[in-house]
Amino acid sequence: MAVDRLALGAFGLLTATSSVVAAARRGSARSARRSGTAGNSLFPTHDGVVEYRYLRARGTATATVVCENGLCAPLEGWDWLATELAGTCNVLVYHRAGYGATRTRHEPGEIIEAILREREASDPRIVYVGHSLGGLIAVDAVTRFPWLRNRVRQLVLIDSTDAAELAVMFDSPERRGKVEQSFLLEYLGGILGTLAIANPFLREVDYRAGVQRAFGDFSIDTRNIRNAQRELRRYAASADAATHPLPCRVQVVAAEYGPDGPDAHRRSQESLAGRLGAPMSVVLGSAHRSIIGRQEHASQVAALIRDGARQS
């Protein structure tokens, strides 16, 4: 009995210590983003700022590539891809409302328009790239925002969330309950610090050290986790945007492996490509996060984007 009490006491002390360390780490990361010392810029709007990074091409830009983050993913997650593309393209990466230091209610289409109107001398030719839920969000933005719709020449969906599958998932109480439970566990893990010890977001990615740390800190920040939960609910409720005709060329770039295995994942991505009338490429050896989170996979994706930029 005494041993049990001692073990429980040690566990409680460890949990309390992890919680304090996690809180300090969250506070430090948030402060760096708010102050602009995290290496990103802050764009002012009438109701708050947008955290973003803009890379200008080293020569004449063939296009401006706009990158739309996946669910609860930081702009730093595009690091390998953005570095490769910046040789021939301008690149914009940013945080949507509620993520990182972004504090505005503006929609993605409005944010992108505002930043590019200021940063580019003339109306840009845009290649819009979305990863995971960012793919669905990119489709929604192109469908709803005229300025963006008139300038996007190609839409590249990287291992994108399928609007039809998302709607089916949220129509099932059992599947929706599992998703909500997963968010709750992540939120509690973020508070207690256990998520920082064994962060599942880092298992598939391999960035440069500073980027890897920023990616890890962002993905376990409780504020970002809460925002991701709200965002997923919102887009699941309006997931019919992908059924509308799109005004640009579309390309689907799929990872080889998904949570249900390679065959099921390929069928899912092929179904999305078929509904959009888009060609599909598979990045061999890649998984959902590693497709942009490992240099060897991101290089293949960058080559596909560059080819599309030249053709658009």
Side-chain angles (χ1 to χ4, degrees):
M1 208 52 148
V3 173
D4 289 344
R5 286 197 296 271
L6 183 62
L8 285 172
F11 176 76
L13 179 60
L14 177 62
T15 302
T17 302
S18 297
S19 179
V20 170
V21 171
R25 190 166 165 177
R26 284 197 303 273
S28 176
R30 289 174 183 173
S31 177
R33 290 187 181 278
R34 287 195 303 267
S35 65
T37 58
N40 303 324
S41 301
L42 300 176
F43 183 85
T45 72
H46 76 270
D47 67 345
V49 297
V50 177
E51 185 180 10
Y52 77 104
R53 188 174 295 179
Y54 179 86
L55 288 74
R56 191 172 294 280
R58 290 187 283 274
T60 301
T62 57
T64 293
V65 177
V66 177
C67 299
E68 198 65 66
N69 305 326
L71 191 70
C72 205
L75 63 82
E76 286 84 1
W78 296 100
D79 185 65
W80 291 128
L81 197 69
T83 300
E84 289 218 19
L85 290 173
T88 56
C89 301
N90 300 328
V91 182
L92 171 66
V93 293
Y94 79 104
H95 284 145
R96 293 187 296 274
Y99 285 118
T102 296
R103 291 293 174 267
T104 176
R105 291 186 297 276
H106 287 304
E107 298 275 356
E110 297 169 317
I111 291 172
I112 293 165
E113 177 181 356
I115 294 175
L116 292 187
R117 278 184 180 276
E118 179 171 294
R119 297 303 302 256
E120 308 234 343
S122 58
D123 286 341
R125 181 175 59 182
I126 296 172
V127 176
Y128 197 2
V129 179
H131 174 243
S132 192
L133 187 71
L136 190 154
I137 292 171
V139 170
D140 178 76
V142 167
T143 302
R144 294 199 298 117
F145 292 95
W147 187 90
L148 195 59
R149 182 169 61 245
N150 292 335
R151 289 158 183 82
V152 171
R153 298 294 178 264
Q154 183 171 19
L155 193 58
V156 182
L157 307 180
I158 304 174
D159 222 44
S160 176
T161 300
D162 186 335
E165 290 187 1
L166 184 62
V168 168
M169 182 185 73
F170 266 74
D171 283 341
S172 165
E174 181 180 356
R175 295 178 68 186
R176 185 173 66 247
K178 287 181 179 179
V179 172
E180 297 288 350
Q181 183 181 48
S182 176
F183 275 117
L184 177 60
L185 292 174
E186 286 180 10
Y187 183 75
L188 291 175
I191 291 176
L192 297 175
T194 55
L195 201 59
I197 297 171
N199 186 348
F201 289 89
L202 295 178
R203 291 173 189 164
E204 293 179 9
V205 301
D206 184 22
Y207 294 106
R208 295 176 290 111
V211 176
Q212 187 86 349
R213 180 180 176 85
F215 186 95
D217 287 346
F218 190 95
S219 62
I220 63 174
D221 189 313
T222 51
R223 183 181 293 164
N224 294 327
I225 294 170
R226 284 200 308 271
N227 195 59
Q229 185 177 26
R230 290 191 294 266
E231 189 174 53
L232 187 63
R233 287 172 181 165
R234 174 197 166 186
Y235 280 98
S238 59
D240 64 338
T243 63
H244 300 166
L246 293 170
C248 58
R249 295 173 62 242
V250 183
Q251 181 177 18
V252 172
V253 181
E256 182 176 10
Y257 299 103
D260 298 324
D263 293 337
H265 188 66
R266 176 186 279 270
R267 287 195 299 271
S268 172
Q269 291 290 293
E270 284 176 342
S271 176
L272 172 63
R275 277 197 299 279
L276 296 174
M280 186 179 94
S281 303
V282 178
V283 177
L284 297 179
S286 67
H288 184 64
R289 292 191 183 93
S290 78
I291 195 169
I292 62 170
R294 289 185 176 271
Q295 188 174 20
E296 63 271 25
H297 300 152
S299 293
Q300 296 179 58
V301 178
L304 291 169
I305 293 172
R306 278 195 299 269
D307 288 344
R310 283 194 291 265
Q311 296 170 23
S312 52

